[in-house]
Amino acid sequence: MKLKKIMLGMSLMTLPLLAQETQKKPVYLNPTKPIEERVEDALQRMTLEEKIGVIHAQSKFSSAGVPRLGIPELWMTDGPHGIRPEVLWDEWEQAGWTNDSCIAFPALTCLAATWNEDMSLLYGKSIGEEARYREKDVLLGPGVNIYRTPLNGRNFEYMGEDPFLAARMVVPYIKGVQANGVATCVKHYALNNQEFNRHTSNVILDDRALHEIYLPAFKAAVQEGKTWTIMGAYNLYKGEHACHNQYLINDILRRDWGFDGAVVSDWGGTHDTRQAITNGLDLEFGSWTDGLTMGATNAYDNYYLASPYLKLIQSGEFGTKELDNKVRRVLRLGFRTAMNNEKPLGSLNSPEHGAAGKKISEEGIVLLQNKNNVLPIDLSKAKKIAVIGENALKMMTVGGGSSSLKVKYEISPFDGLKTRIGSQAQVVYARGYVGDPSGSYNGVISGQDLTETRSFDELLAEAVEVAKTADYVVFIGGLNKSKHQDCEDSDRLGLELPYQQDKVISELAKVNKNLIVVNISGNAVAMPWVNEVPAIVQGWYLGSEAGNALASILVGDANPSGKLPFTFPVKLDDVAAHRLGEYPGNKEELARSTSKKDTINVSYNEGLFVGYRFTDKNKIKTLFPFGHGLSYTSFAYDKPVADKNTMSVNDKITFTVKVKNTGNRTGKEVVQLYISDKKSSLPRPIKELKGFAKVELAAGEEKEVSFTIAKEALSFYNDKTAEWVAEPGKFEAVIAASATDIKGVVPFELK
Ligand code: BGC
């Protein structure tokens, strides 16, 4: 009581004083002034050297502030699935802190597979709080490069093959993070669709594919998400590296989209001072490294935007116009983050963050196949459950490149299942095969000993033996985060599962009819045994709560509701990039090339026809289509209807469909709306995703799902006039449960 009184008295007396103090503060330090005024004020106080000082790195993950003026440094962190542990000032190795472990959230492919914008907001909020608590200003993520080939080693860090889905899912993530006064750095802008030759590939594609497929998620990130930074990609486009690219940055990002944030280079993505000056780069990081390994020591003064830039100004070749604009953007970033007086405090490793990771995982896990309703595991009947496969044990948060983490904890699938099943059944384990027993990245060590001396045949024999007597067999395999699996800086070498897993799965299928295969990966894999195995689950990389989330789906605590954000092809030749396009680059140039530095062209000859757009057009049967995912309940769709049958360009049209849960438990269904243009002056995909809604339905419950669209959903990019156009004519609204499971079609006309 007494204390309260004193404080009250103090505040009454001091408030006017404080207000006066604030008024006297220089504008740039005065939080009551608009950011733009503070930026201009700070800018005019800075010397030339101080300006140069803030536009490039001073350490692996920070850029300098202006100590004389009290303007703080900016600290970056990977991203995108958790907050990276601290590294040494000028090394990739660990700084050895003990307070830098985090909650790992599920990989972005899993987030995309939730098809639930609320999950994306929860993800952004949670990871943003962790970043904020760790005092980071910029989170290097999320990634929205389009899934062009299942061989891309970094697909797990992205949001799938469809521009509409990726655009819808990226926006809430950004908002959630930035509400913490932490900037997102949406990456890798643009056309970074493979890891092979990632620094030297020059992408060639038509303007329609660029605007309709590869850019929409970035555009949404800028215009709707209002991301404060964007990361330039490693690759080239039109012969210029993406980090300093006239066309991508100056013309599209800034002029057309009105981006007012800062462009950050990928680590080692800057190659030329003059281009960096004129073509839009604001913050240079990681030069003299490939972003992962090599690097000159403390080379920061030699960065392209450091001394070399200063010299060009001193020699008179450049004025300070470009520099001032870069500094403005860096200061603006600072006022939004490090100097943001209103930012919350954040939180780290909280139970809420663990729960968020579990919830998102449960909504993103995809039930691909469930013959004879093998799943969920019936614990009232099962006495013995055999868990087989390396990925049941292997920690997946260590490895994979820059997204590697040091986690507070990670529940393995095996531990998750054992804990959940408890004494209800016996849970036994057999390895089955050996994949990658290593477990370290940049000094973070998983601490697991996965070494194995037995031969493949011995491991297989043991697994088969164990499987014979079990009521259920849960095989947990797939890829991992080692080189040529799902890993930065290398692509996969084929679509097949590695380490002879196909053989293990086929042998298990012969001895047990209750076989469940859980595929852990961020990519599609071939499944030659698909007809031999009753139940298949896509288990992604799920982070800290991996095992708990998987167990909850497998025993039916949670009802699966994830849907695939990309197509699972039967074989590689069914993928447009491999059949029509160039991958990993022009064959003759690759054969001729003698140096790793040679630029290699990669032509996206498939144009717009990526993913389901290609399989639709060529009537190619998929292993599992885009948008596919089953539930433990069933849904019935009524005939969809529209509120009108013609619309004008400035009009809107609404489609409605009733969906009913016809099973006996609560479940969620993702209702999808595709638009099909029946006739157009330029070639168009058969249909394109333009809406989706995830609805929860109790057993027997029915709900109406509506989609309202405007001309944007009907438009294509006319590359002759550089405009989006909605051409009058006949269209169809296709209501579907996946790209191939069509529930109803409503014709309508645009007048
Ligand atoms: C990656 C980026 C990452 C950066 C910093 C680069 O190698 O491409 O995605 O944010 O390193 O670690």
Side-chain angles (χ1 to χ4, degrees):
M1 216 25 215
K2 209 170 169 193
L3 188 70
K4 218 172 174 187
K5 252 190 204 153
I6 296 171
M7 278 175 57
L8 204 73
M10 236 178 69
S11 62
L12 282 178
M13 267 174 8
T14 46
L15 264 181
L17 272 180
L18 277 176
Q20 276 173 26
E21 279 299 303
T22 310
Q23 283 316 314
K24 270 192 285 174
K25 275 190 175 173
V27 172
Y28 79 100
L29 289 176
N30 187 338
T32 65
K33 297 284 181 193
I35 281 191
E36 294 311 308
E37 272 180 44
R38 298 173 74 187
V39 166
E40 291 308 317
D41 184 56
L43 181 73
Q44 53 93 18
R45 293 169 194 268
M46 289 166 69
T47 66
L48 178 60
E49 286 74 13
E50 283 168 345
K51 289 178 183 174
I52 291 284
V54 299
I55 60 168
H56 59 84
Q58 60 167 1
S59 76
K60 280 280 180 248
F61 283 99
S62 71
S63 58
V66 189
R68 180 178 65 88
L69 297 175
I71 294 175
E73 302 166 342
L74 292 176
W75 282 84
M76 324 275 148
T77 178
D78 284 299
H81 306 140
I83 309 307
R84 186 174 174 156
E86 302 297 331
V87 298
L88 291 168
W89 188 258
D90 192 44
E91 306 282 333
W92 294 108
E93 287 305 308
Q94 298 305 293
W97 294 18
T98 54
N99 57 354
D100 58 347
S101 53
C102 67
I103 292 288
F105 297 93
L108 292 192
T109 33
C110 174
L111 175 62
T114 67
W115 293 61
N116 185 343
E117 289 158 86
D118 294 344
M119 290 301 111
S120 179
L121 185 63
L122 176 66
Y123 196 125
K125 174 185 179 288
S126 311
I127 195 173
E129 285 168 356
E130 298 240 331
R132 174 63 198 98
Y133 190 85
R134 291 264 308 276
E135 308 220 317
K136 302 303 178 192
D137 303 303
V138 180
L139 175 68
L140 305 175
V144 288
N145 293 94
I146 288 293
Y147 188 111
R148 176 177 179 253
T149 158
L151 302 193
N152 179 9
R154 281 189 102 170
N155 277 338
F156 70 101
E157 290 186 66
Y158 302 139
M159 300 206 196
E161 72 182 31
D162 185 77
F164 182 84
L165 178 64
R168 297 295 25 100
M169 294 303 288
V170 74
V171 170
Y173 182 117
I174 296 168
K175 292 192 170 153
V177 171
Q178 293 193 165
N180 288 288
V182 175
T184 48
C185 190
V186 179
K187 65 196 191 182
H188 304 90
Y189 183 70
L191 302 169
N192 187 177
N193 307 103
Q194 65 187 54
E195 288 298 287
F196 183 85
N197 274 346
R198 63 178 178 163
H199 293 272
T200 53
S201 291
N202 180 48
V203 176
I204 299 174
L205 85 172
D206 61 74
D207 277 358
R208 288 193 64 204
L210 178 71
H211 287 274
E212 292 187 33
I213 305 292
Y214 295 97
L215 293 186
F218 288 104
K219 187 178 181 186
V222 168
Q223 296 192 329
E224 296 172 61
K226 308 230 177 295
T227 182
W228 292 331
T229 73
I230 216 162
M231 184 188 289
Y234 281 139
N235 50 281
L236 301 95
Y237 172 61
K238 291 192 193 274
E240 279 176 5
H241 278 97
C243 287
H244 31 73
N245 190 295
Q246 167 65 30
Y247 192 71
L248 288 174
I249 302 177
N250 287 347
D251 296 352
I252 297 179
L253 181 65
R254 292 206 202 284
R255 186 198 60 203
D256 297 349
W257 297 350
F259 179 60
D260 74 350
V263 174
V264 179
S265 77
D266 199 345
W267 271 230
T270 312
H271 299 271
D272 183 283
T273 297
R274 286 178 179 80
Q275 280 187 17
I277 296 171
T278 57
N279 295 357
L281 180 65
D282 301 313
L283 263 168
E284 178 189 0
F285 273 87
S287 295
W288 286 281
T289 142
D290 66 356
L292 286 180
T293 47
M294 313 106 60
T297 309
N298 281 309
Y300 302 104
D301 285 345
N302 303 321
Y303 271 37
Y304 295 94
L305 288 182
S307 304
Y309 189 6
L310 187 61
K311 284 196 189 113
L312 290 177
I313 292 178
Q314 283 162 343
S315 74
E317 187 177 330
F318 280 92
T320 54
K321 189 174 116 226
E322 295 90 353
L323 176 64
D324 284 348
N325 280 335
K326 291 179 199 302
V327 176
R328 278 191 182 95
R329 292 189 284 255
V330 172
L331 286 169
R332 192 176 295 134
L333 172 62
F335 286 117
R336 286 168 164 169
T337 58
M339 292 181 277
N340 176 345
N341 303 71
E342 274 155 24
K343 61 186 174 189
L345 296 172
S347 52
L348 188 67
N349 293 322
S350 66
E352 287 79 10
H353 292 172
K358 178 163 180 266
K359 190 167 176 188
I360 299 162
S361 298
E362 285 170 356
E363 280 221 13
I365 292 170
V366 182
L367 179 61
L368 292 173
Q369 176 163 297
N370 195 19
K371 290 187 195 156
N372 315 324
N373 292 331
V374 164
L375 281 172
I377 293 173
D378 185 349
L379 287 177
S380 68
K381 296 208 181 102
K383 292 199 179 61
K384 183 171 158 194
I385 296 167
V387 177
I388 293 169
E390 184 173 284
N391 287 353
L393 302 182
K394 190 170 169 61
M395 259 183 97
M396 290 295 182
T397 52
V398 177
S402 57
S403 61
S404 182
L405 297 169
K406 174 169 139 191
V407 287
K408 186 82 184 166
Y409 67 92
E410 177 178 342
I411 311 285
S412 72
F414 181 67
D415 283 343
L417 270 169
K418 248 182 53 179
T419 309
R420 173 60 186 83
I421 293 167
S423 58
Q424 285 182 273
Q426 187 196 0
V427 184
V428 293
Y429 178 76
R431 179 79 170 257
Y433 66 92
V434 177
D436 170 32
S438 73
S440 72
Y441 185 79
N442 276 170
V444 177
I445 297 157
S446 76
Q448 291 185 298
D449 183 7
L450 294 177
T451 49
E452 176 58 69
T453 50
R454 289 172 292 170
S455 70
F456 175 75
D457 288 342
E458 286 171 294
L459 293 174
L460 178 61
E462 181 198 41
V464 169
E465 237 3 80
V466 167
K468 274 183 191 160
T469 55
D471 299 300
Y472 287 93
V473 177
V474 187
F475 175 86
I476 306 183
L479 308 180
N480 53 47
K481 303 277 191 72
S482 60
K483 197 166 183 207
H484 297 308
Q485 300 292 317
D486 282 327
C487 183
E488 181 176 343
D489 206 20
S490 68
D491 279 348
R492 294 169 67 201
L493 304 174
L495 191 64
E496 306 73 37
L497 280 177
Y499 321 127
Q500 303 188 67
Q501 292 177 77
D502 288 342
K503 177 142 185 47
V504 182
I505 296 169
S506 290
E507 293 303 315
L508 294 176
K510 284 184 199 154
V511 298
N512 196 308
K513 62 176 188 351
N514 286 339
L515 174 60
I516 299 146
V517 170
V518 179
N519 179 57
I520 305 291
S521 75
N523 258 315
V525 301
M527 297 182 181
W529 33 261
V530 65
N531 295 324
E532 302 154 32
V533 174
I536 307 173
V537 172
Q538 177 58 31
W540 313 115
Y541 298 108
L542 300 176
S544 290
E545 289 283 332
N548 291 338
L550 262 173
S552 136
I553 290 285
L554 294 177
V555 306
D557 295 341
N559 192 350
S561 65
K563 299 242 183 183
L564 290 178
F566 51 80
T567 308
F568 270 57
V570 172
K571 54 186 191 303
L572 213 47
D573 190 51
D574 293 346
V575 178
H578 295 269
R579 193 186 292 182
L580 303 178
E582 284 177 334
Y583 173 87
N586 181 278
K587 284 201 180 65
E588 286 84 50
E589 290 175 35
L590 283 168
R592 262 201 318 269
S593 162
T594 49
S595 154
K596 280 196 125 193
K597 293 198 170 137
D598 291 344
T599 301
I600 306 285
N601 290 309
V602 186
S603 292
Y604 291 9
N605 300 325
E606 72 279 12
L608 296 172
F609 297 94
V610 175
Y612 67 88
R613 289 165 170 79
F614 180 66
T615 48
D616 266 4
K617 179 171 184 238
N618 296 288
K619 302 196 170 54
I620 296 169
K621 203 174 161 345
T622 60
L623 180 61
F624 297 108
F626 172 80
H628 169 75
L630 305 173
S631 163
Y632 295 150
T633 187
S634 51
F635 302 101
Y637 286 63
D638 221 348
K639 201 173 156 2
V641 292
D643 63 344
K644 50 172 90 75
N645 44 31
T646 59
M647 68 180 274
S648 68
V649 258
N650 298 319
D651 220 4
K652 287 190 171 149
I653 183 165
T654 299
F655 307 101
T656 305
V657 62
K658 282 188 193 144
V659 183
K660 185 172 181 177
N661 182 343
T662 49
N664 52 15
R665 57 174 293 170
T666 300
K668 288 183 185 168
E669 170 69 330
V670 178
V671 183
Q672 301 159 40
L673 167 74
Y674 296 84
I675 295 292
S676 175
D677 189 350
K678 300 321 282 177
K679 196 163 163 256
S680 70
S681 57
L682 292 178
R684 297 200 68 181
I686 305 265
K687 65 177 187 303
E688 296 185 278
L689 185 75
K690 295 295 170 187
F692 59 88
K694 196 166 198 174
V695 275
E696 183 169 40
L697 297 165
E701 192 185 3
E702 182 175 73
K703 273 186 191 159
E704 256 187 19
V705 179
S706 291
F707 301 98
T708 299
I709 58 159
K711 67 169 187 287
E712 287 72 31
L714 312 181
S715 304
F716 60 85
Y717 186 81
N718 184 333
D719 49 356
K720 309 279 171 323
T721 58
E723 274 169 349
W724 286 89
V725 278
E727 260 178 12
K730 292 193 161 71
F731 289 84
E732 276 172 4
V734 178
I735 299 289
S738 83
T740 59
D741 186 4
I742 305 213
K743 303 294 188 184
V745 173
V746 190
F748 66 99
E749 202 174 332
L750 178 70
K751 289 277 186 206

